[in-house]
Amino acid sequence: MPVQLPDSDSEDELPPAWEERATSDGFVYYVNHQSKTTQWSHPRTGKMKRVSGDLPIGWSRHVEEATGKVIFVEEKTQRKSYTDPRLAFAVEEAPSQVGELRQRFDSGTNALQVLHGRDLSGKVALITGCNAGIGFETARSLALHGCKVLFACRDENATKAAIAKIFHEKEAAGSRCKYIPLDLASLRSTRRCAEQVKQLCKHIDMLILNAGVFALPHSITEDGYETTFQVNHLAHFYLTNQLSELFDHTSRIVVVSSESHRMSTLPAGGLSESDLCPPPHKFWSMLAYNNSKLCNVLFAVELAKVSDITV
């Protein structure tokens, strides 16, 4: 007769006396300290898991002299743990039925966790507005995993400081980062950025259109367009087209949008220039942001339709 396991709020929670471990080549197994037995399947769900064979960046494996036990050390903080840090990123083996599929990442997942175990050596990524925020974390994570990253940003000092931070963390990663001047409020600057990128690269593996502005007062760019619309959408559209010869079917283009695109008031038909670049008396910064983010979404949808690039 099977043993009745105690109730739990989480199906992944191990019953008392059980421990989760991983082999050096990435197979997860379970130890029952009470019965002194091991098994490959989770004692509650019956499912099997795998982890990457590599430790997360910044962790190392040691053997304690006094106990002979394996211990893991996070080099930056010198925090020690007997628990294999790879287990935080364990992935269930592919289920036999679609209904058993589970989400691997959620809103709490960071860029390093998404890229854990990936080798991006030889890849080239161009990221706009990546000297701070989610753009910086994306650039940092890509560089730490071997990717060459082009920082297309407006503020040279802030960008070089961001690259220096990555260099301080890992010299090889920082040396793979390069600053490219880009002011999205100027289509001339956008065109110069594209020309410089084409001189440096013959192929772009990842284009991440991340830069954006929010809650700006009404203003007009040197090109005659409302600033939020041009910076968040139009200049990114222009940059992508200028770089089109560097993409192929292996390239990936990410257009960073926002949930607020759902609150856009752009008409479904008969779109006019005044809808995209309203005059001062009809301008509201939040609405301008919402509309620009809807343009991002529509751009991504159309780009995916007309090209063989993954968007």
Side-chain angles (χ1 to χ4, degrees):
M1 182 175 180
V3 177
Q4 181 68 37
L5 297 176
D7 291 335
S8 168
D9 291 335
S10 171
E11 65 172 8
D12 283 332
E13 184 179 336
L14 289 171
W18 286 87
E19 181 187 356
E20 188 178 48
R21 295 181 182 175
T23 63
S24 58
D25 53 354
F27 290 93
V28 176
Y29 66 99
Y30 302 89
V31 179
N32 187 327
H33 291 288
Q34 189 172 23
S35 64
K36 308 297 182 184
T37 58
T38 63
Q39 62 187 58
W40 295 111
S41 58
H42 192 288
R44 189 182 297 279
T45 67
K47 296 177 180 178
M48 300 175 67
K49 294 182 179 180
R50 292 288 302 273
V51 295
S52 169
D54 300 322
L55 288 172
I57 290 175
W59 285 84
S60 57
R61 182 180 182 274
H62 306 272
V63 177
E64 280 188 322
E65 292 185 9
T67 64
K69 291 183 177 180
V70 174
I71 190 167
F72 301 91
V73 180
E74 187 178 23
E75 302 297 343
K76 188 174 183 179
T77 63
Q78 288 300 298
R79 180 165 61 95
K80 297 179 180 179
S81 173
Y82 289 113
T83 302
D84 191 327
R86 297 177 300 168
L87 292 171
F89 314 112
V91 180
E92 289 178 358
E93 296 280 29
S96 57
Q97 298 182 11
V98 174
E100 297 177 11
L101 285 170
R102 300 177 63 192
Q103 183 171 312
R104 182 179 178 188
F105 303 120
D106 58 25
S107 60
T109 306
N110 63 41
L112 277 176
Q113 292 169 340
V114 172
L115 292 176
H116 174 60
R118 301 280 183 175
D119 180 7
L120 300 178
S121 300
K123 302 291 186 181
V124 177
L126 172 64
I127 310 175
T128 65
C130 56
N131 55 31
I134 60 173
F136 173 73
E137 291 302 324
T138 301
R140 168 178 170 261
S141 300
L142 289 171
L144 287 172
H145 285 80
C147 187
K148 178 180 179 181
V149 183
L150 303 179
F151 284 60
C153 305
R154 179 174 55 87
D155 190 325
E156 180 175 0
N157 291 334
T159 305
K160 289 185 175 179
I163 293 174
K165 185 185 290 188
I166 297 173
F167 187 87
H168 180 73
E169 183 175 359
K170 188 176 182 180
E171 289 188 11
S175 64
R176 286 190 285 268
C177 300
K178 183 175 179 59
Y179 166 64
I180 306 289
L182 171 63
D183 181 359
L184 293 166
S186 165
L187 295 181
R188 180 176 53 184
S189 172
T190 304
R191 185 167 56 252
R192 281 201 301 260
C193 172
E195 290 169 354
Q196 188 171 348
V197 170
K198 285 187 279 191
Q199 291 175 358
L200 292 170
C201 310
K202 294 184 177 180
H203 181 260
I204 291 179
D205 297 281
M206 289 163 273
L207 172 64
I208 303 176
L209 304 174
N210 165 78
V213 293
F214 175 77
L216 291 184
H218 184 274
S219 61
I220 300 296
T221 68
E222 64 181 49
D223 304 293
Y225 300 104
E226 190 278 314
T227 302
T228 299
F229 168 68
Q230 177 166 328
V231 172
N232 289 3
H233 169 66
L234 184 62
H236 276 145
F237 173 87
Y238 185 56
L239 178 65
T240 304
N241 278 275
Q242 289 288 303
L243 295 172
S244 60
E245 65 194 67
L246 303 185
F247 305 132
D248 62 17
H249 69 283
T250 67
S251 300
R252 302 290 182 267
I253 297 178
V254 178
V255 187
V256 179
S257 186
S258 166
E259 278 295 308
S260 66
H261 81 274
R262 302 179 189 279
M263 276 70 82
S264 170
T265 58
L266 291 177
L271 192 65
S272 68
E273 185 175 335
S274 63
D275 293 317
L276 299 171
C277 300
H281 67 281
K282 291 185 177 181
F283 180 82
W284 179 33
S285 61
M286 188 68 225
L287 191 56
Y289 179 80
N290 298 347
N291 290 345
S292 70
K293 288 303 174 181
L294 177 59
C295 289
N296 289 158
V297 173
L298 296 175
F299 170 44
V301 170
E302 289 303 311
L303 184 60
K305 285 181 182 178
V306 300
S307 70
D308 57 359
I309 302 169
T310 301
V311 181

